[in-house]
Amino acid sequence: MGSCRQSKSPGPGHKRKRATAADGAEEEAKAELRRARNREAARKTRTKRLDAIATLSDQVQSLSCMNQELSLQLQQATCQAEIRGQEAKMLRGMLLAHAQDLTEAANINEDVCERAQDLLQLLAQNHS
C-alpha cells in the first residue's frame, strides 16, 4: 500500500505574495477604518442609550404625576363615599322615626275613631 500525500502548496500557477510595506500600510489603513467605524457605532449606541434613558425618565415623571392625581381622586371619592354613607344612615334614622310617628298617629286615629263611635252610640241611646 502506498500512501499518497497531497501537498498543501497553492499548486501550479499560484504564487505566494510577499508582504510589502504597501501591504502593511493598507492593513493599517483598514484597521484604522475599522476603529473609526467602531468608534462611530459606539458613539451612536451611547447616544441612543442616553435618549432612551431620557425618554424613560420623562415617562417616570409623567406617570408619577398621574399617580399623584389618581391618588388625590381616590382620596376625594373615599371621603365622598363616607359622607354619602353618613347621609344615608341619617336618612334611614329619619325615615324610621317618621314611620314610628305615622304608626303612633294611626294608633291615635284608631283610638279617636273608636271613641267617636262610642260617643255616637251614647248620643243615639240618649235620644231614644
Side-chain angles (χ1 to χ4, degrees), residues 10-115:
H14 288 95
K15 293 185 179 177
R16 281 193 170 173
K17 291 185 179 179
R18 289 189 180 168
T20 62
D23 291 338
E26 186 178 326
E27 289 297 319
E28 183 57 35
K30 285 181 183 180
E32 182 54 39
L33 184 60
R34 276 193 311 272
R35 286 190 292 268
R37 282 192 296 237
N38 190 27
R39 279 192 300 271
E40 182 61 21
R43 185 190 64 76
K44 284 182 181 180
T45 300
R46 285 189 295 273
T47 301
K48 279 185 179 181
R49 187 177 63 232
L50 290 175
D51 288 346
I53 289 170
T55 299
L56 290 172
S57 179
D58 290 345
Q59 287 177 350
V60 165
Q61 186 175 1
S62 175
L63 291 172
S64 293
C65 289
M66 186 184 297
N67 190 25
Q68 285 179 341
E69 290 172 8
L70 290 172
S71 292
L72 181 60
Q73 288 177 6
L74 177 61
Q75 191 176 24
Q76 290 172 343
T78 302
C79 288
Q80 288 176 353
E82 187 176 322
I83 290 168
R84 298 298 179 263
Q86 291 172 354
E87 287 174 348
K89 185 177 180 180
M90 181 184 68
L91 289 172
R92 271 193 298 275
M94 291 171 66
L95 184 60
L96 286 174
H98 185 63
Q100 287 174 347
D101 289 346
L102 287 176
T103 302
E104 288 174 12
N107 289 340
I108 290 171
N109 189 32
E110 189 178 314
D111 189 42
V112 167
C113 285
E114 286 176 9
R115 288 185 185 191

